[in-house]
Amino acid sequence: MSKAIYLTKIDGKPGQVYYPLSVQTQAKPTPQGRELLIKLTAASLNHRDVFLRQHLYPGVTFDVPLGADGVGMVVAAGPEVIDPQRWQGKRVILNPGIGWESSPDGPEDPKGYRIMGGTKLYNKGTLQEYVTIEESEVEEAPEHLSDAEAAALPLTGLTGWRALVVKAGDKNSSKGAAILVTGIGGGVALMVLRFAVARGVNVYVTSSSEEKIKRAVELGAKAGVNYKEEGWEKKLLSLLPPGKAAFDAIIDGAGGDAVEKAVKLLKVGCDLSLSACNK
Ligand SMILES: NC(=O)c1ccc[n+]([C@@H]2O[C@H](COP(=O)([O-])OP(=O)(O)OC[C@H]3O[C@@H](n4cnc5c(N)ncnc54)[C@H](OP(=O)(O)O)[C@@H]3O)[C@@H](O)[C@H]2O)c1
């Protein structure tokens, strides 16, 4: 048998309701075709799980387990898996979504990018003991990551990578570039910070919290400002390194007036729709 966590339907309007969780016991799935059976060892939560509980996320359903992010061990393989021995006993990270493989322009699938967990768009979720998934949808987990760390990587990591490297472009995410990451308390923002620092980018951040700015600097950011303070955008420009008059790219997940103010900090020739500059 396999336990799984679902949203439970109660009455309430989107934004006012907070769906309770229920644990359900169901039959352990059998892998079909090219599917692998994964025994999950860790799953992580994402802000979308809160939005789902509040009925503020597209496609909410009560029939699919929650959870987009997870890691686990391969314990069985379907009859058409090409090389079952390759996978047997391997610790794998699950791809959190389908429909978007590699195009820099966005999802190749006309149905769009469909993320696991709690919606009718994709019938998988990671808040369960066992899940079956196509072998093409898993990657071996890096050995240096614990289960909890590996489980925290997929959705925010993929989103952050796509924003920083795929969308902002190689030039703006390489050594010497200067980028602004707004709202560094956010899950995606933190991933962008880690990737950008590892690539030698000068990273600047904004936050509502001095504590989060301090932590970001400990993680390698050059500096940060509090977006609650008047004139934060001007202060940011004064912090740029010598020879830089503006940011090469801005990775923004907050929207609102942050975009209006931050766009004035970008170097000339930037594409606002990408929140990034490719020239
Ligand atoms: N999470 C994912 O895996 C995922 C996947 C695909 C797309 N996205 C999109 O990526 C964006 C970020 O998602 P997330 O899950 O990382 O968000 P999150 O964890 O909920 O973080 C949001 C952050 O936004 C910051 N913020 C709020 N108001 C702000 C303002 N006025 N100016 C600047 N920053 C402000 C806050 O930063 P401080 O705490 O530092 O103040 C907050 O922590 C969203 O648009 C989401 O739809 C997320």
Side-chain angles (χ1 to χ4, degrees):
M1 301 301 280
S2 173
K3 288 196 180 115
I5 296 176
Y6 292 81
L7 295 174
T8 305
K9 191 166 175 39
I10 57 169
D11 288 340
K13 294 192 175 142
Q16 293 168 5
V17 71
Y18 197 64
Y19 294 126
L21 303 178
S22 66
V23 179
Q24 295 178 28
T25 303
Q26 51 206 24
K28 186 157 72 169
T30 305
Q32 311 290 323
R34 292 185 63 182
E35 288 178 338
L36 300 171
L37 177 64
I38 315 292
K39 182 175 188 338
L40 286 149
T41 48
S44 79
L45 297 174
N46 188 298
H47 202 152
R48 75 187 282 282
D49 298 304
V50 178
F51 289 137
L52 281 160
R53 291 189 73 175
Q54 297 172 308
H55 206 131
L56 291 176
Y57 199 87
V60 178
T61 183
F62 306 93
D63 303 324
V64 173
L66 285 170
D69 291 309
V71 65
M73 304 296 286
V74 178
V75 292
E80 289 162 31
V81 167
I82 294 167
D83 182 3
Q85 289 308 315
R86 177 201 182 302
W87 291 115
Q88 192 57 37
K90 286 275 159 52
R91 194 174 70 123
V92 294
I93 295 179
L94 278 60
N95 185 355
I98 49 170
W100 189 3
E101 204 163 304
S102 57
S103 169
D105 298 328
E108 297 89 357
D109 190 325
K111 283 192 265 176
Y113 185 51
R114 283 154 288 140
I115 299 169
M116 271 200 271
T119 83
K120 56 190 167 205
L121 305 175
Y122 189 1
N123 66 350
K124 312 278 176 196
T126 57
L127 294 195
Q128 54 182 332
E129 284 181 307
Y130 291 92
V131 66
T132 53
I133 189 159
E134 292 283 322
E135 62 174 325
S136 59
E137 302 304 320
V138 300
E139 293 288 340
E140 266 188 64
E143 277 180 24
H144 67 280
L145 297 181
S146 68
D147 281 358
E149 288 166 341
L153 187 62
L155 188 53
T156 53
L158 198 52
T159 306
W161 183 267
R162 280 175 172 153
L164 176 71
V165 182
V166 180
K167 289 290 187 181
D170 208 35
K171 193 168 153 227
N172 296 317
S173 57
S174 300
K175 195 167 172 50
I179 67 161
L180 169 61
V181 184
T182 61
I184 199 58
V188 175
L190 276 169
M191 286 292 180
V192 172
L193 171 65
R194 303 307 293 264
F195 293 147
V197 167
R199 290 168 68 88
V201 177
N202 299 297
V203 183
Y204 296 79
V205 303
T206 67
S207 180
S208 58
S209 147
E210 299 303 329
E211 190 57 38
K212 290 178 188 177
I213 293 172
K214 187 165 164 268
R215 182 74 181 120
V217 171
E218 284 165 10
L219 291 172
K222 296 290 176 203
V225 299
N226 191 323
Y227 60 76
K228 298 269 184 197
E229 283 174 15
E230 196 64 34
W232 60 264
E233 66 278 23
K234 292 190 189 87
K235 193 171 167 195
L236 264 178
L237 280 189
S238 73
L239 295 170
L240 280 169
K244 282 266 176 208
F247 289 99
D248 296 301
I250 297 175
I251 309 295
D252 174 70
D257 74 338
V259 173
E260 196 187 315
K261 287 182 176 158
V263 72
K264 294 176 188 147
L265 311 178
L266 276 173
K267 70 183 173 188
V268 176
C270 296
D271 181 344
L272 176 58
S273 68
L274 300 181
S275 288
C277 182
N278 291 310
K279 290 184 184 165

